[in-house]
């Protein structure tokens, strides 16, 4: 009887140990997935911009990390017919420390700030040769040097396309007309009520 009881106790401990192992494995996998997706690089909701030849344009890029950064490396590259040409690069030591950015393009200016997790650049005096895809790249050593990037497309034109505001004008006109009509009706109602009240006051008592 005692042997049977000891056997059950041993099996129970093994089962509990197995649960602990399974839980440990699950937690390890979840932490691994979380860390793998810790850094995010974004160029915003709109991944392209259309600008006039000769103007200046902001190429936006921001980063975020739920585990923090240390010696975050980033660069901007231009896709020149399949060849990636580096425009600028830098390393951000830690949060709130501004990077020493190396610029490899005469018309490029770094306008980002590590205080805002911003690594955007400004391209001056845009030409048709500047049209194409620009890649914002980042790598965080705290993530075992996983690579992250986002692409922003620049479209250069002679003149910006005119936006057809006909529908907007019609809608605004209709709404304005309805509001005006409601105001007129309210004014007429107020005048009629006033006249009726005056007539009621002048009516002789029977």
């Amino acid at each position: 009887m005692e042997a049977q009881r000891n056997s059950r106790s041993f099996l129970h401990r093994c089962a509990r140990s197995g649960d602990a192992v399974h839980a440990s494995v699950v937690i390890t996998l979840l932490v691994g997935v979380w860390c793998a997706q810790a850094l995010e690089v974004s160029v915003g909701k709109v991944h392209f911009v259309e600008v006039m030849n000769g103007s200046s344009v902001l190429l936006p890029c921001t980063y975020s990390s739920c585990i923090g950064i240390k010696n975050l490396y980033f660069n901007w590259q231009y896709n020149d017919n399949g060849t990636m040409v580096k425009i600028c690069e830098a390393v951000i030591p830690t949060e709130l420390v501004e990077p020493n950015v190396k610029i490899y393009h005469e018309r490029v200016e770094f306008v980002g700030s590590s205080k805002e997790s911003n690594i955007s650049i400004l391209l001056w005096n845009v030409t048709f040769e500047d049209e194409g895809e620009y890649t914002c790249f980042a790598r965080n050593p705290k993530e075992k040097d996983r690579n992250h990037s986002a692409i922003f497309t620049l479209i250069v034109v002679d003149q910006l396309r005119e936006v057809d505001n006909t529908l907007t004008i019609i809608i605004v006109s209709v709404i304005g007309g309805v509001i005006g009509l409601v105001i007129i009706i309210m004014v007429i109602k107020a005048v009629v009520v006033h006249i009726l009240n005056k007539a009621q006051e002048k009516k002789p008592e029977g």
Side-chain angles (χ1 to χ4, degrees), residues 82-156:
T83 301
M84 301 304 292
V85 179
K86 191 179 295 182
I87 297 174
C88 70
E89 65 179 343
V91 172
I92 302 176
T94 58
E95 289 93 343
L96 306 181
V97 176
E98 298 298 341
N100 182 19
V101 184
K102 296 179 180 178
I103 305 293
Y104 304 117
H105 192 295
E106 60 182 5
R107 290 183 288 109
V108 165
E109 177 185 355
F110 179 74
V111 294
S113 171
S114 60
K115 296 178 182 179
E116 300 173 354
S117 301
N118 190 320
I119 47 178
S120 303
I121 59 175
L122 190 67
L123 180 59
W124 296 90
N125 193 22
V126 174
T127 67
F128 289 106
E129 287 73 23
D130 295 323
E131 183 171 281
E133 294 182 347
Y134 292 79
T135 300
C136 178
F137 171 90
R139 182 173 61 239
N140 187 11
K142 293 185 72 171
E143 292 186 330
K144 297 182 179 180
D145 289 333
R146 286 178 59 89
N147 296 334
H148 303 269
S149 62
I151 297 175
F152 191 78
T153 303
L154 178 63
I155 303 171
V156 184

Side-chain angles (χ1 to χ4, degrees), residues 69-87:
I69 65 166
K70 185 176 182 180
N71 294 326
L72 173 72
Y73 170 80
F74 74 88
N75 67 42
W76 274 91
Q77 301 176 64
Y78 171 65
N79 188 349
D80 186 7
N81 295 319
T83 301
M84 301 304 292
V85 179
K86 191 179 295 182
I87 297 174

Side-chain angles (χ1 to χ4, degrees), residues 163-177:
V163 179
D164 188 358
N165 294 321
T166 304
L167 181 60
T168 303
I169 294 174
I170 293 175
I171 294 175
V172 172
S173 299
V174 170
I175 294 176

Side-chain angles (χ1 to χ4, degrees), residues 28-96:
T28 301
L29 289 174
L30 289 175
V31 170
V33 171
W34 172 72
C35 289
Q37 301 300 324
L39 182 69
E40 291 186 1
V41 175
S42 173
V43 292
K45 294 182 179 180
V46 181
H47 293 190
F48 69 93
V49 66
E50 189 175 280
V51 299
M52 286 186 61
N53 180 35
S55 63
S56 299
V57 61
L58 175 71
L59 304 182
C61 188
T62 58
Y63 63 88
S64 61
S65 176
C66 58
I67 63 172
I69 65 166
K70 185 176 182 180
N71 294 326
L72 173 72
Y73 170 80
F74 74 88
N75 67 42
W76 274 91
Q77 301 176 64
Y78 171 65
N79 188 349
D80 186 7
N81 295 319
T83 301
M84 301 304 292
V85 179
K86 191 179 295 182
I87 297 174
C88 70
E89 65 179 343
V91 172
I92 302 176
T94 58
E95 289 93 343
L96 306 181

Side-chain angles (χ1 to χ4, degrees), residues 1-11:
M1 190 70 178
E2 184 66 24
Q4 186 177 3
R5 190 177 294 122
N6 291 336
S7 176
R8 288 179 179 174
S9 177
F10 175 74
L11 291 174

